Amino acid sequence: MNVPCMRSTPDATVVTGAAGWLGTALSHALTDDGAWHRNGTIRVLVRNRVEGDRLSELSGSVEPVIGDLLDPESIERLFDGLTGDIDVLHTAGVIHPDTVADFYSVNRDGTKAILDAALEHGARRLVHVSSNSPFGTNSHPDDRFRNDEPYHPYYGYGDSKMQAELAVVEAVDAGLDAVMVRPPWFYGPHQPPRQTTFFKMVRTGRFPVFAGGNQSRSMVYVDNLVQGVIRAELVETDPGLGWWIADERPYTITEIVETVGRALSDEGFEVTPNKFKVPDIVARVAELADKTIQRTGRYHQQIHVLGEMNKNIACDISAAQRELGYRPEFELYDGMRRSIRWCTDQGLEL
């Protein structure tokens, strides 16, 4: 088996969306005394001083920049004074905004802004964190997204992330060494409130399972995703490539619900067996409503999520394994137990 050629860690690492779910996990990985630790400057873009102070506590090498992707002065300060090899980990994005226009201003235009800045400042490599949504959904439970998958974006979010990917390709054509990773639904520590709601629904037996729950879903534990992002950064490859980063195998919705319930029970929670079976027509109606709402420029998170619940969204990670040496360390049960423990440590109610 070929062993990927790894670059040395850069003199400076720029992280956008550094206070978000993935950005926080990345910041921990870059500053912890572990496999991905680095001694150089870690320049992080955050929205406010509270976020900046939280990340500064991780290490003296963390330098917060308070600002916005769409503010040219913020982007200039993000790169100001950095010398030597500079890598950029672009995790910033919006998944559940107030309006459809927000998808494009953040996911498309914000990505273009950071690509332009990386090119201007001679970045060694930029890793863009994309999504499964530019590729839509699988046609059946055994179908898998592969690296040559054609675009078929799923509504506003998918289209905005597709346009961000196209912007990456344009930047590569202009001379930037940039690559992409494409994670599906991820889980783990530093999670947002919507994931806590997911745990509550499973614990109380109220998670909606559509049409038997045999839909196939790829998921990725956040530490697996961190590994994929950093391998995409440091492994020598051609620019312009993209890789699916997920757990070793997809899971069915029924398996996800049962495994999360077992993890909650093993962490000491009382779990009600899930019997919330929902006919497929409910998801179909929700998807139609989602489409209609987004056409008016609005966005409704609950309706959008409900409309996706009967879909197959699964990917093939073999290219990342082969080309990056990616080896996911965690599967669903262990990852969910770690996520539950993190929630309890934070005093969150599940």
Side-chain angles (χ1 to χ4, degrees):
M1 182 176 66
N2 292 331
V3 177
C5 180
M6 300 280 287
R7 298 168 169 171
S8 61
T9 56
D11 300 296
T13 307
V14 172
V15 184
T16 69
W21 192 352
L22 174 57
T24 298
L26 272 170
S27 298
H28 277 267
L30 299 179
T31 55
D32 286 348
D33 187 19
W36 309 118
H37 178 270
R38 52 196 64 186
N39 296 314
T41 300
I42 302 170
R43 189 71 63 79
V44 297
L45 182 64
V46 296
R47 293 168 297 182
N48 54 59
R49 187 168 299 279
V50 173
E51 293 180 346
D53 289 346
R54 174 165 58 83
L55 294 176
S56 293
E57 291 176 356
L58 298 177
S59 169
S61 63
V62 175
E63 299 180 359
V65 171
I66 300 171
D68 188 279
L69 269 180
L70 300 179
D71 173 27
E73 291 186 2
S74 298
I75 299 299
E76 187 58 36
R77 284 187 285 113
L78 190 61
F79 286 88
D80 184 46
L82 297 180
T83 58
D85 289 332
I86 304 169
D87 286 355
V88 182
L89 307 179
H90 177 47
T91 79
V94 61
I95 300 176
H96 299 299
D98 294 327
T99 69
V100 172
D102 293 334
F103 283 134
Y104 295 94
S105 62
V106 178
N107 297 340
R108 179 194 61 196
D109 300 341
T111 297
K112 287 182 178 179
I114 200 70
L115 289 167
D116 289 344
L119 187 58
E120 177 184 350
H121 290 273
R124 183 180 71 168
R125 170 158 283 192
L126 179 145
V127 180
H128 169 63
V129 179
S130 187
S131 165
N132 57 265
S133 289
F135 304 91
T137 61
N138 301 110
S139 58
H140 55 82
D142 295 326
D143 185 27
R144 299 289 180 268
F145 292 135
R146 294 175 175 82
N147 275 34
D148 59 353
E149 198 73 26
Y151 289 122
H152 190 257
Y154 192 79
Y155 298 122
Y157 175 68
D159 187 62
S160 69
K161 295 295 278 188
M162 178 190 72
Q163 293 194 33
E165 286 207 6
L166 294 175
V168 171
V169 173
E170 290 179 2
V172 169
D173 289 342
L176 180 65
D177 185 337
V179 294
M180 297 170 279
V181 296
R182 296 163 177 147
W185 177 8
F186 53 96
Y187 63 100
H190 315 295
Q191 64 186 41
R194 65 179 182 273
Q195 189 76 354
T196 305
T197 301
F198 167 63
F199 284 139
K200 289 179 180 177
M201 294 173 74
V202 172
R203 183 182 62 78
T204 57
R206 297 176 180 174
F207 187 84
V209 174
F210 289 85
N214 294 318
Q215 300 88 355
S216 186
R217 287 297 183 103
S218 285
M219 298 181 70
V220 59
Y221 182 65
V222 70
D223 285 4
N224 291 341
L225 180 52
V226 165
Q227 180 202 154
V229 169
I230 297 179
R231 284 191 172 276
E233 173 202 2
L234 298 180
V235 172
E236 292 276 8
T237 68
D238 291 336
L241 300 178
W243 299 276
W244 293 100
I245 303 295
D247 290 355
E248 185 73 33
R249 63 181 179 86
Y251 315 102
T252 66
I253 292 294
T254 295
E255 181 184 8
I256 292 169
V257 174
E258 291 177 349
T259 302
V260 173
R262 180 159 53 93
L264 284 162
S265 179
D266 290 347
E267 288 297 322
F269 290 89
E270 184 175 341
V271 178
T272 300
N274 195 81
K275 297 181 179 179
F276 193 8
K277 311 299 182 184
V278 184
D280 190 65
I281 187 64
V282 175
R284 293 177 181 269
V285 170
E287 183 182 12
L288 179 60
D290 181 29
K291 182 178 182 180
T292 302
I293 291 169
Q294 291 201 36
R295 279 178 172 172
T296 70
R298 296 172 295 154
Y299 178 82
H300 192 289
Q301 177 179 338
Q302 288 76 18
I303 291 176
H304 176 78
V305 171
L306 189 63
E308 283 188 324
M309 287 305 300
N310 66 339
K311 303 293 189 296
N312 297 287
I313 305 174
C315 62
D316 177 355
I317 65 170
S318 61
Q321 292 174 309
R322 181 176 63 253
E323 297 170 11
L324 300 179
Y326 171 65
R327 299 291 181 269
E329 297 181 33
F330 300 94
E331 279 218 349
L332 190 63
Y333 175 75
D334 288 335
M336 284 296 180
R337 287 199 70 172
R338 287 169 176 259
S339 183
I340 293 162
R341 288 172 194 161
W342 181 85
C343 289
T344 56
D345 288 345
Q346 305 305 307
L348 299 174
E349 286 191 22
L350 300 182

